[in-house]
Amino acid sequence: TNMANMIPTPRVNKQFLSLYPDDTIRLACQLQSKQPVTLKASDGGIVKLEDDSGAELFTDYPVGQFLEVIGKASPDGAQVSPYNCIAFNPDFDLETYDQLVQLTHRHTDLFNTTSA
């Protein structure tokens, strides 16, 4: 893939999710429950799956697992339809990560996170 053609994927928390309706996003979170899948975003906000789509991606992860979910924000920007998720180490610091998320949105010139 040509690097010049790659579109940056914004890192979001619950607060920033609504800025990217129908866009692909990255959400670092902790798996709170599996039925239905409920995710705690880095800012503590709760994010659910749109129409339970992609719930099978979470089958092998225990409740409490830290994850990065790559998916599409719902049209209202309140939920996510995951394409993929990646496990983080158990010592992942969600609060510190949230500080990074906040910085990426405060300094869009450095992090290229402006919405389309």
Side-chain angles (χ1 to χ4, degrees):
T1 305
N2 183 340
M3 293 294 283
N5 293 335
M6 293 183 68
I7 298 169
T9 309
R11 298 181 187 279
V12 301
N13 55 24
K14 173 68 174 180
Q15 173 191 354
F16 295 124
L17 185 60
S18 63
L19 299 178
Y20 301 96
D22 289 321
D23 286 347
T24 300
I25 52 86
R26 292 176 177 266
L27 177 76
C29 55
Q30 186 176 32
L31 184 59
Q32 294 292 287
S33 67
K34 294 171 85 165
Q35 292 186 343
V37 172
T38 305
L39 308 168
K40 182 176 87 172
S42 59
D43 62 352
I46 299 300
V47 177
K48 296 189 177 191
L49 303 187
E50 186 176 20
D51 301 324
D52 259 351
S53 66
E56 68 281 355
L57 294 172
F58 301 90
T59 306
D60 294 335
Y61 297 115
V63 169
Q65 176 74 52
F66 293 108
L67 303 163
E68 180 174 62
V69 174
I70 300 155
K72 183 177 166 185
S74 61
D76 64 2
Q79 299 174 311
V80 66
S81 295
Y83 306 139
N84 195 8
C85 62
I86 301 159
F88 286 151
N89 288 331
D91 60 351
F92 181 75
D93 189 329
L94 205 55
E95 291 78 23
T96 299
Y97 183 88
D98 194 61
Q99 294 175 13
L100 170 68
V101 171
Q102 306 246 1
L103 284 171
T104 65
H105 289 273
R106 197 173 305 132
H107 300 284
T108 55
D109 54 324
L110 296 176
F111 294 99
N112 199 8
T113 56
T114 53
S115 57

